[in-house]
Amino acid sequence: MAVSMVQALNAALRDAMRADDSVVVFGEDVGALGGVFRVTDGLTADFGEERCFDTPLAESGIVGFATGMAMRGFRPVVEMQFDAFAYPAFEQVASHVAKMRNRTRGSVTVPIVIRIPYGGGIGGVEHHSDSSESHYAHIPGLKVATPATVDDAYSLLREAIDDPDPVVFMEPKGLYWSKAEVALPARTAPFGHALSRREGSDVTLVAYGPTVPVALEAAEAAAENGKEVEVIDLRTLVPYDEAAVTKSVSTTGRCVVISEATGFAGIAGEIAAQVQRACFYSLAAPVHRVTGFDIPYPPPMHEQHYLPGVDRVLDAIEQLEWD
Amino acid sequence: MAVSMVQALNAALRDAMRADDSVVVFGEDVGALGGVFRVTDGLTADFGEERCFDTPLAESGIVGFATGMAMRGFRPVVEMQFDAFAYPAFEQVASHVAKMRNRTRGSVTVPIVIRIPYGGGIGGVEHHSDSSESHYAHIPGLKVATPATVDDAYSLLREAIDDPDPVVFMEPKGLYWSKAEVALPARTAPFGHALSRREGSDVTLVAYGPTVPVALEAAEAAAENGKEVEVIDLRTLVPYDEAAVTKSVSTTGRCVVISEATGFAGIAGEIAAQVQRACFYSLAAPVHRVTGFDIPYPPPMHEQHYLPGVDRVLDAIEQLEWD
Amino acid sequence: MELPVDHLEQDRVAGLLPSPDPIQLIDENGAVTSGDVAGVYELPPVQTLAEAYRRMVVGRRFDAEATALTRQGRLAVYPSSKGQEACQVGGVLALAEQDWLFPTYRDTMSLVMRGVDPVDALGLLRGDWHCGYDPMKERIAPQCTPLATHAPHAAGLAYAARRRGEDAVALAFIGDGGTSEGDFHEALNFAAVFNAPAVFLVQNNRYAISVPLSRQTAAPSLAYKGIGYGIRSEQIDGNDVAAVLAVLSEAMSHARSGHGPMLIEAHTYRIEAHTNADDAGRYRDPSETAMWVPRDPISRLERYLTGVGALDDQAVRRVQDEAEAFAEELRSRMGADPAVRPEEMFSHVLAEPTAQLRAQRETVRELVMRGD
Amino acid sequence: MELPVDHLEQDRVAGLLPSPDPIQLIDENGAVTSGDVAGVYELPPVQTLAEAYRRMVVGRRFDAEATALTRQGRLAVYPSSKGQEACQVGGVLALAEQDWLFPTYRDTMSLVMRGVDPVDALGLLRGDWHCGYDPMKERIAPQCTPLATHAPHAAGLAYAARRRGEDAVALAFIGDGGTSEGDFHEALNFAAVFNAPAVFLVQNNRYAISVPLSRQTAAPSLAYKGIGYGIRSEQIDGNDVAAVLAVLSEAMSHARSGHGPMLIEAHTYRIEAHTNADDAGRYRDPSETAMWVPRDPISRLERYLTGVGALDDQAVRRVQDEAEAFAEELRSRMGADPAVRPEEMFSHVLAEPTAQLRAQRETVRELVMRGD
Ligand SMILES: Cc1ncc(C[n+]2csc(CCOP(=O)(O)OP(=O)(O)O)c2C)c(N)n1
Ligand SMILES: Cc1ncc(C[n+]2csc(CCOP(=O)(O)OP(=O)(O)O)c2C)c(N)n1
Ligand SMILES: [Mg+2]
Ligand SMILES: [Mg+2]
């Protein structure tokens, strides 16, 4: 059956709630409305107000309240309505959620999942299309997962909820309505395992979340020019599967990292830095990055020019010293 | 006269307040107390309550209030007491301060300076030694400056206050009491210009803020082993002086980036990624990074093992394929 | 011996608390009421009310047209303020030329009613730029989306204006949901501590998207938040433009004359869904919405003005014609796609683009030239 | 027709507002007062007060010893709670076994008075680890430094406990300065909306480091913040342990019996500087501090207990001896550097260290072995 990413996420929440009484879902508009993207659709109806409920409109409060509940044995899955609206919770995330286990030598753990729809491409007005994954990846103590496929949406979210550590679960909102034939419950690879979405021996594209389909499309186009492109989907930014990326680039000798977020000081730089070090002797060309520009996410009528698209990826591949 | 970095910063604030009536200084404890590090010492006494004043204890409020004041012609210089205590203001910084010019096509500008003491090495308890420069560097629309020397503390802060853009001014608190013979007012190089703090032809150390003295000390030690080390002090992370780093590494063929912040997805990765691309054919070895580990900043009795010290820098240099 | 805490004058406490029931000056039948128990607020002059009527009618027509424009794909999204016209119009009528308005995404009507070109006012929602008007020229901050984050700006700007000797007050609109955010708290506190001439008007339309007021607060009413900051507070019937005007005018002069900020809660109702993209049927019963129809801010004022002889059928038709013409002009001006320059993305990031930004702009320029 | 806003019962409003003057049960001369105008609160039994006296004396001695330890370089820093013993001790005496405490950096005394090993309680300030005690075992959250951020935790934990059918209340300490943070606002609101059994005790010691209360708020008093959340509130003489105990006990049972959170403002004073590293002379006059000496929480209770015959010179000496012994043992146990294992930095970051963390731990291990 064709399942959308939203449906897969919804199913993951349902199945997790069914499997474990301590899983509770809350946030803004997650109850009767089912979330502005309908990811929590029907949960209140099916599990009751106690298991899925709306909160006052205050993201720091939501994450702080979740922290307190987690201290007393719950597994809160909270929704931040859009990426930029998670910023008010930044202190709670950085100073408490990420650090609680460490501060208390493992005595207090807060296995919270913070779901954040991120990225652009949906024609949203300002503050609705940010990509903040690099911020979270830069904070030790958090795991950061981001699905690119429907089955991973299910599998990674289930794993995130079961994980003993807090997980920032970044949902690529541009892919919410993407569909695939998937039989749920689907279990794919665990956290920390990148997956190759396409084999290829000439160049490695490293992508995650919203840029995986872009990479695949670019790979198809490059194939027409006789270049065999491997596409690696990271799936989790933390833990980062350095081994998989190194293995691929050691073979291909070329690498392009693709990320929708602002490039400067972002996760794509981390990956490039690791690749050049691990694959120094295999690289035929420097690692390139294709990322969002170093500008605020633009208004809807400009976003096509902001997003790292197939053409920019193909341009980057072209520049990888082929002669 | 030997001047400390704190004194230089204080002098810069004074001179800026004298030069421009619209400069106002506010934050927590900046008034009668003169700031917990005494950077604002005497400003209220000398310029009056209207020019330097204490606020309620609320960082988001401070930055938001500053934004409003800047909209009406003031140049607020606000203090965040410690690095982690700027997190509550994250949304104001990311969603407004950084974006206001862009949102309004240049009509509304908010030339605020947000002063943040950052980094460790002072034996502070938890939440007092974070290094969050990478977060700010990753947000388009902000400039990020960080002095490593006493004269730069003065010069960069003056420039930050005069700058038409908002500046996150990161003060390396471990160097607050470092002294130098400096005649104030001192003017050094402008924003966006890295400075070479030591010449050397064998390897380039890229550092900023608290890691500049570490780099210099490592360079001295390496010299004893016959290695000539160039030390580049970035001074501003945004704008980033790519040209200066490229020029140096093109000559030396080797590069180590040193940063106290958590390494993963931080600014050091950005620099490494840029260097490997710009200097691909000059590099004799991959770019190495010596950074804070990917863990929460440790308690005082552990911090000596966390901080990127001379030994780790020398180890990194050793690994740069010398035969 | 007494504790060295200020001995509390109960008068001071009473002076900060709102009226126990919302101030109402004209009831839904168009009759003048004794809704202001304290007798502090005066019914505005009939000319003012007639002008408010005109603007509310035009404003509602503007709002309907904007919703229509979303169906034609001319706007990315539109959050309607239908039913909130008394606040939208009363709010800006209370402003003097030099005053500043801090609106949210829901308050486009108020921008237009203050005189912003409606096409510019719709810039954000049309999507050619984030803010389509010039805030400095209009003295209207960019419409704010991250909830409550504009409230500290209003406090700061008001304080700054006072410091500069300007006679300006900042009026910030905020939703019931927005009052739950930390920034609301910090803004009110800063405004009070610095005695900033700022007025905070909470349009309590009883929903934050789908979340009802009861999930937002357990307070007797939102106006009771003021005393916790030492801010004088009031609650009003937000569908009675006479009450909005009277209380807001008092608040503005309270602030203007140096008595500090004021908090007003306007009880109103969001007649439409949160935006055109929202499905209100999921979370509220149509019967609830129906209850608010007789409380409509326009019809009650129409009855009042007709009753006092300040409005007749002909005048009503004149206003409707004006509204229709307004809508028609808007529709035709919004009919074409606006010109956008992709390189403009790089023009306003910093005062001067960095070398990196220039290089990135070049990339876009080339891609655009290649037609990608 | 009426607005569909809850018609406000003035009783409800009155029930949420604090007493106009701080509740005081024993005045500074040790005399029972009629400070509780409403007559709601009862003077605690004399045995309870005697126990409070004992703990306050030991607590103060502990505090002095901790300050002394900073001078010997045994603690990185110490924020004294001298003068705030009535809150520190009254606070924990009001707790049942199953209750949770959410303290700040200033509340080490309360930890010790609840029974945490003083060496463990000083872990944060000694600097061998962030939190030196086991929060789950002690039912005391790690002492919180980022101001007010623990307040939403207390709300969440209290709600969770109630959901689990536990009979536990969460008591959060917070400073006057901390009430200005957005997280304070959000915590109170969440607690109220979810009817969480949480009690928020504001120790208003009139300073946030150097910033006086007047710069923190313009409210009649901080307790007036409660009504804005629909939270019952009270203000008390925070140096009168009888008032602290009586009001806090009432608050705890209010919360425990399902009536929701309560906010209490305790008027007190920070006798010492902010920490040993602070220089209070820069921002306050010694004469102000002197004013608070006669209001001392210990001496007034001593007078009261002596007056009612529950304490004599011998008993006083016994308590002092106990305090001295306590301090001596602490001093000797803190005399040596604690053992630290550098690799522990990597042990608690995640449940399982990643490959990268393992590699980084190896780096440290090698450096340590090399003696760097
Ligand atoms: C910080 C933040 N969180 C969440 C959102 C998403 N959001 C947009 S409008 C809205 C509801 C706002 O309700 P209210 O403040 O009552 O204003 P109204 O829309 O009713 O006018 C939400 C949750 C946002 N814009 N900003
Ligand atoms: C979010 C945050 N901002 C700033 C600080 C720095 N700081 C530590 S204590 C303090 C004053 C706190 O005052 P108050 O809440 O009254 O508590 P008290 O110290 O008087 O007990 C400040 C500003 C902090 N710890 N956290
Ligand atoms: Mg609303
Ligand atoms: Mg205090």
Side-chain angles (χ1 to χ4, degrees):
Chain A
M1 200 190 72
V3 176
S4 72
M5 187 178 280
V6 164
Q7 289 169 327
L9 294 166
N10 183 269
L13 292 172
R14 264 170 207 285
D15 292 352
M17 290 171 83
R18 216 170 275 131
D20 181 351
D21 268 1
S22 69
V23 175
V24 284
V25 172
F26 55 94
E28 297 155 10
D29 303 295
V30 298
L33 185 63
V36 294
F37 293 107
R38 303 292 184 268
V39 173
T40 59
D41 196 18
L43 299 182
T44 301
D46 295 349
F47 294 89
E49 265 270 8
E50 299 259 294
R51 300 291 302 283
C52 175
F53 53 88
D54 291 327
T55 65
L57 211 168
E59 293 78 9
S60 188
I62 291 169
V63 174
F65 198 75
T67 302
M69 286 189 75
M71 289 173 73
R72 212 63 215 101
F74 283 88
R75 290 188 171 261
V77 182
V78 299
E79 176 173 307
M80 304 279 104
Q81 202 159 81
F82 285 84
D83 186 282
F85 308 145
Y87 297 157
F90 197 80
E91 181 185 33
Q92 283 290 346
V93 173
S95 291
H96 286 299
V97 175
K99 290 182 173 153
M100 193 62 90
R101 173 189 293 278
N102 188 252
R103 299 168 69 200
T104 63
R105 284 188 157 118
S107 165
V108 184
T109 60
V110 287
I112 300 169
V113 177
I114 305 178
R115 295 182 37 245
I116 309 183
Y118 79 115
I122 63 155
V125 301
E126 60 170 356
H127 306 296
H128 286 79
S129 302
D130 282 19
S131 289
S132 58
E133 62 273 25
S134 303
H135 291 297
Y136 300 112
H138 185 56
I139 301 173
L142 302 175
K143 288 177 178 163
V144 182
T146 179
T149 64
V150 174
D151 55 354
D152 256 357
Y154 181 92
S155 186
L156 289 173
L157 185 51
R158 287 299 303 270
E159 187 172 351
I161 296 171
D162 288 344
D163 200 279
D165 293 307
V167 178
V168 177
F169 194 83
M170 310 284 306
E171 302 175 359
K173 69 173 94 73
L175 300 181
Y176 264 153
W177 303 280
S178 65
K179 290 195 168 189
E181 295 290 330
V182 174
L184 298 180
R187 284 303 184 119
T188 59
F191 274 26
H193 285 262
L195 286 178
S196 176
R197 297 293 182 193
R198 188 184 198 283
E199 309 283 312
S201 52
D202 292 331
V203 52
T204 305
L205 300 184
V206 180
Y208 61 87
T211 60
V212 172
V214 176
L216 286 170
E217 202 184 326
E220 288 304 319
E224 291 174 17
N225 289 330
K227 297 208 173 77
E228 287 311 318
V229 178
E230 168 138 39
V231 174
I232 291 189
D233 174 0
L234 292 176
R235 306 174 64 254
T236 55
L237 304 181
V238 183
Y240 169 64
D241 190 352
E242 189 181 355
V245 176
T246 301
K247 181 154 165 280
S248 172
V249 181
S250 300
T251 316
T252 60
R254 291 178 172 85
C255 180
V256 177
V257 187
I258 317 172
S259 160
E260 226 180 270
T262 288
F264 196 80
I267 182 82
E270 175 65 34
I271 297 166
Q274 293 207 16
V275 168
Q276 63 88 32
R277 179 154 172 200
C279 308
F280 188 71
Y281 292 105
S282 327
L283 281 172
V287 182
H288 278 233
R289 286 180 282 166
V290 179
T291 67
F293 298 114
D294 297 329
I295 63 175
Y297 195 91
M301 289 188 185
H302 291 265
E303 69 178 346
Q304 70 188 104
H305 301 291
Y306 174 87
L307 291 168
V310 172
D311 291 297
R312 283 173 60 202
V313 176
L314 290 174
D315 283 357
I317 293 176
E318 272 319 304
Q319 288 169 50
L320 295 176
E321 319 284 336
W322 292 97
D323 332 284
Chain B
M1 201 189 71
V3 176
S4 73
M5 187 180 280
V6 165
Q7 288 168 328
L9 293 166
N10 183 268
L13 291 172
R14 262 170 210 285
D15 292 350
M17 291 171 83
R18 215 170 277 132
D20 181 352
D21 268 0
S22 69
V23 175
V24 285
V25 172
F26 56 93
E28 296 156 9
D29 303 294
V30 298
L33 185 63
V36 294
F37 293 108
R38 303 292 185 268
V39 173
T40 59
D41 196 18
L43 299 182
T44 301
D46 295 348
F47 294 89
E49 266 269 8
E50 301 259 295
R51 300 292 302 282
C52 175
F53 53 89
D54 291 328
T55 64
L57 212 167
E59 293 77 8
S60 187
I62 291 170
V63 174
F65 198 74
T67 302
M69 286 189 75
M71 289 174 73
R72 213 63 215 99
F74 283 88
R75 289 189 171 260
V77 182
V78 299
E79 176 172 305
M80 304 281 103
Q81 203 159 80
F82 285 84
D83 186 282
F85 308 146
Y87 297 157
F90 197 80
E91 181 186 33
Q92 283 290 346
V93 173
S95 291
H96 285 299
V97 175
K99 290 182 174 155
M100 194 62 90
R101 172 190 292 279
N102 188 250
R103 298 169 69 202
T104 63
R105 286 187 155 120
S107 165
V108 184
T109 60
V110 287
I112 299 168
V113 177
I114 304 177
R115 293 182 37 245
I116 309 183
Y118 80 114
I122 63 156
V125 300
E126 60 172 356
H127 307 296
H128 286 80
S129 301
D130 283 18
S131 289
S132 58
E133 63 272 25
S134 303
H135 292 297
Y136 301 111
H138 185 55
I139 300 173
L142 301 175
K143 288 178 178 162
V144 181
T146 179
T149 63
V150 174
D151 54 355
D152 256 357
Y154 181 91
S155 186
L156 288 172
L157 184 50
R158 288 298 304 269
E159 187 172 350
I161 296 171
D162 289 343
D163 200 279
D165 294 307
V167 179
V168 177
F169 194 84
M170 310 285 305
E171 301 174 359
K173 69 173 93 73
L175 301 180
Y176 265 154
W177 303 279
S178 65
K179 289 196 169 188
E181 295 290 329
V182 173
L184 297 180
R187 284 305 183 117
T188 60
F191 273 27
H193 286 260
L195 286 177
S196 177
R197 298 292 181 194
R198 189 184 198 282
E199 309 283 313
S201 51
D202 293 332
V203 53
T204 305
L205 300 184
V206 180
Y208 61 87
T211 60
V212 172
V214 176
L216 287 169
E217 203 182 325
E220 287 304 318
E224 289 174 19
N225 290 329
K227 297 209 174 77
E228 287 311 318
V229 177
E230 167 137 40
V231 174
I232 290 188
D233 174 0
L234 292 177
R235 306 175 63 253
T236 54
L237 305 181
V238 182
Y240 169 62
D241 191 351
E242 189 183 355
V245 176
T246 302
K247 181 153 165 281
S248 172
V249 181
S250 301
T251 315
T252 60
R254 289 177 173 87
C255 180
V256 177
V257 187
I258 316 171
S259 160
E260 226 180 271
T262 287
F264 196 80
I267 182 83
E270 175 65 33
I271 297 165
Q274 292 207 17
V275 167
Q276 62 88 32
R277 179 153 172 202
C279 309
F280 188 69
Y281 293 106
S282 328
L283 281 172
V287 182
H288 278 234
R289 287 180 283 167
V290 179
T291 67
F293 298 115
D294 297 329
I295 64 175
Y297 196 92
M301 288 188 185
H302 292 265
E303 69 179 345
Q304 70 189 104
H305 301 291
Y306 174 87
L307 291 169
V310 171
D311 290 297
R312 282 173 61 204
V313 176
L314 290 173
D315 283 357
I317 293 175
E318 272 320 303
Q319 288 169 48
L320 296 175
E321 318 287 337
W322 291 98
D323 336 281
Chain C
M1 186 174 148
E2 297 218 338
L3 274 176
V5 298
D6 304 333
H7 181 71
L8 211 56
E9 287 135 46
Q10 287 302 299
D11 281 2
R12 167 130 200 264
V13 170
L16 296 171
L17 289 171
S19 153
D21 289 304
I23 302 292
Q24 187 189 60
L25 299 180
I26 296 180
D27 74 13
E28 68 186 53
N29 300 315
V32 173
T33 65
S34 55
D36 170 19
V37 191
V40 180
Y41 308 105
E42 270 176 45
L43 192 69
V46 78
Q47 310 91 291
T48 309
L49 292 173
E51 175 60 14
Y53 173 77
R54 191 184 69 82
R55 295 205 204 185
M56 290 201 293
V57 172
V58 178
R60 176 168 296 179
R61 188 60 191 84
F62 161 79
D63 189 83
E65 192 56 39
T67 296
L69 286 167
T70 62
R71 285 193 292 270
Q72 295 151 33
R74 291 288 165 203
L75 297 180
V77 66
Y78 182 72
S80 166
S81 45
K82 183 171 178 189
Q84 302 180 214
E85 291 86 355
C87 290
Q88 295 289 307
V89 167
V92 300
L93 279 179
L95 295 175
E97 181 85 14
Q98 71 275 20
D99 294 335
W100 271 74
L101 181 66
F102 285 78
T104 77
Y105 52 87
R106 189 165 310 287
D107 305 308
T108 317
M109 190 193 294
S110 73
L111 270 55
V112 176
M113 288 306 120
R114 204 190 183 193
V116 176
D117 181 320
V119 174
D120 294 348
L122 288 170
L124 169 73
L125 305 168
R126 193 182 207 187
D128 53 325
W129 202 258
H130 303 298
C131 179
Y133 54 93
D134 179 348
M136 299 308 290
K137 177 175 153 271
E138 310 283 356
R139 285 176 308 286
I140 303 178
Q143 283 177 283
C144 189
T145 296
L147 293 162
T149 55
H150 61 312
H153 304 172
L157 181 136
Y159 172 72
R162 189 163 67 86
R163 284 277 301 269
R164 290 162 64 100
E166 293 168 11
D167 189 29
V169 176
L171 171 65
F173 284 148
I174 193 160
D176 45 312
T179 66
S180 295
E181 291 280 7
D183 268 12
F184 174 78
H185 173 74
E186 301 187 12
L188 264 68
N189 197 36
F190 270 69
V193 165
F194 292 111
N195 205 42
V199 174
F200 300 92
L201 178 69
V202 179
Q203 292 180 76
N204 175 359
N205 63 8
R206 304 186 78 79
Y207 284 92
I209 306 188
S210 71
V211 181
L213 186 64
S214 58
R215 210 11 94 86
Q216 213 62 249
T217 185
S221 103
L222 295 169
Y224 283 86
K225 292 188 182 291
I227 189 170
Y229 309 99
I231 290 183
R232 183 179 158 198
S233 309
E234 197 51 279
Q235 56 176 328
I236 60 178
D237 176 347
N239 281 11
D240 172 14
V241 76
V244 175
L245 273 167
V247 175
L248 210 49
S249 303
E250 165 64 18
M252 298 296 284
S253 63
H254 174 88
R256 205 183 303 282
S257 54
H259 294 102
M262 209 171 138
L263 170 68
I264 302 166
E265 177 190 21
H267 297 275
T268 180
Y269 192 79
R270 195 195 72 206
I271 295 289
E272 300 289 338
H274 175 68
T275 68
N276 58 294
D278 178 37
D279 175 7
R282 284 180 162 254
Y283 53 83
R284 69 182 189 190
D285 202 278
S287 67
E288 184 189 288
T289 315
M291 270 174 53
W292 282 84
V293 173
R295 297 188 189 105
D296 186 67
I298 296 181
S299 59
R300 86 166 73 174
L301 188 61
E302 197 170 302
R303 260 174 249 156
Y304 169 77
L305 289 172
T306 312
V308 298
L311 200 68
D312 57 20
D313 284 3
Q314 205 186 333
V316 168
R317 217 168 313 115
R318 219 167 30 238
V319 171
Q320 277 164 354
D321 289 348
E322 183 192 341
E324 224 30 74
F326 187 94
E328 201 167 309
E329 191 192 337
L330 176 61
R331 189 161 58 244
S332 86
R333 289 179 61 206
M334 293 290 288
D337 275 336
V340 293
R341 290 184 309 109
E343 312 96 81
E344 195 183 1
M345 292 194 295
F346 300 92
S347 302
H348 318 292
V349 181
L350 297 169
E352 292 291 332
T354 60
Q356 287 88 344
L357 284 173
R358 287 196 303 271
Q360 293 174 14
R361 184 173 58 196
E362 216 33 60
T363 304
V364 169
R365 197 169 278 159
E366 274 170 35
L367 285 167
V368 171
M369 270 170 48
R370 266 165 37 194
D372 292 341
Chain D
M1 187 176 146
E2 297 218 337
L3 272 177
V5 297
D6 306 332
H7 181 72
L8 212 57
E9 287 136 46
Q10 286 304 299
D11 280 3
R12 168 133 198 262
V13 170
L16 297 171
L17 289 172
S19 153
D21 289 305
I23 301 292
Q24 188 190 59
L25 300 180
I26 296 179
D27 74 11
E28 69 187 50
N29 301 315
V32 172
T33 64
S34 56
D36 170 20
V37 190
V40 180
Y41 308 105
E42 270 176 44
L43 193 69
V46 78
Q47 311 91 289
T48 308
L49 293 173
E51 175 60 14
Y53 172 77
R54 190 185 69 80
R55 295 206 205 184
M56 290 200 294
V57 172
V58 178
R60 177 168 295 180
R61 188 61 191 87
F62 161 78
D63 189 84
E65 192 56 38
T67 296
L69 286 167
T70 63
R71 284 192 292 270
Q72 295 152 34
R74 290 288 165 204
L75 296 180
V77 66
Y78 182 71
S80 167
S81 45
K82 182 170 177 189
Q84 303 180 213
E85 291 86 356
C87 291
Q88 295 290 306
V89 167
V92 300
L93 279 179
L95 295 176
E97 180 86 13
Q98 71 275 21
D99 293 336
W100 273 74
L101 181 66
F102 285 77
T104 77
Y105 52 88
R106 187 163 311 285
D107 305 309
T108 317
M109 189 193 294
S110 73
L111 270 56
V112 176
M113 289 306 121
R114 204 189 184 192
V116 176
D117 181 319
V119 174
D120 295 348
L122 288 170
L124 169 73
L125 305 168
R126 192 181 207 188
D128 53 326
W129 202 258
H130 302 298
C131 179
Y133 54 94
D134 179 348
M136 298 309 289
K137 176 175 154 273
E138 309 284 357
R139 285 177 307 287
I140 302 178
Q143 283 177 283
C144 189
T145 296
L147 293 162
T149 55
H150 61 312
H153 304 171
L157 182 135
Y159 172 72
R162 189 163 66 87
R163 284 278 301 268
R164 291 162 63 100
E166 292 168 10
D167 190 28
V169 175
L171 172 65
F173 284 149
I174 192 159
D176 45 312
T179 66
S180 296
E181 291 280 5
D183 268 13
F184 174 78
H185 172 74
E186 301 188 12
L188 265 68
N189 197 37
F190 270 69
V193 164
F194 293 109
N195 205 42
V199 174
F200 301 91
L201 178 68
V202 178
Q203 291 181 75
N204 175 0
N205 64 7
R206 304 188 77 81
Y207 285 91
I209 308 187
S210 71
V211 181
L213 186 64
S214 58
R215 213 5 98 87
Q216 212 62 248
T217 186
S221 103
L222 294 169
Y224 284 86
K225 291 188 183 290
I227 189 170
Y229 309 99
I231 291 182
R232 182 177 160 200
S233 309
E234 197 50 280
Q235 57 176 329
I236 61 179
D237 176 348
N239 281 11
D240 172 15
V241 76
V244 175
L245 274 167
V247 175
L248 211 49
S249 302
E250 165 62 18
M252 298 297 283
S253 62
H254 174 88
R256 204 181 304 283
S257 53
H259 294 103
M262 208 171 138
L263 170 68
I264 301 167
E265 177 189 21
H267 297 275
T268 181
Y269 192 79
R270 195 193 74 206
I271 295 289
E272 300 289 337
H274 174 68
T275 68
N276 58 294
D278 177 38
D279 174 7
R282 285 181 162 252
Y283 53 81
R284 68 183 189 190
D285 202 278
S287 67
E288 183 189 289
T289 315
M291 270 176 51
W292 282 83
V293 173
R295 298 188 189 105
D296 186 67
I298 296 182
S299 59
R300 89 166 73 174
L301 188 61
E302 196 171 302
R303 261 174 250 155
Y304 169 78
L305 290 171
T306 312
V308 299
L311 199 70
D312 58 19
D313 285 2
Q314 208 185 332
V316 168
R317 216 169 312 113
R318 219 166 30 238
V319 172
Q320 277 163 355
D321 289 348
E322 181 192 342
E324 223 32 72
F326 186 95
E328 201 166 309
E329 192 192 335
L330 177 61
R331 189 161 55 246
S332 86
R333 289 179 61 208
M334 293 290 289
D337 276 336
V340 293
R341 292 184 308 109
E343 311 95 82
E344 196 184 0
M345 290 194 295
F346 300 91
S347 303
H348 318 291
V349 181
L350 297 169
E352 292 292 333
T354 60
Q356 287 88 343
L357 284 173
R358 288 197 302 271
Q360 293 174 16
R361 184 173 57 196
E362 217 33 61
T363 304
V364 168
R365 195 170 279 156
E366 274 171 36
L367 284 166
V368 170
M369 271 169 47
R370 266 163 38 193
D372 292 341

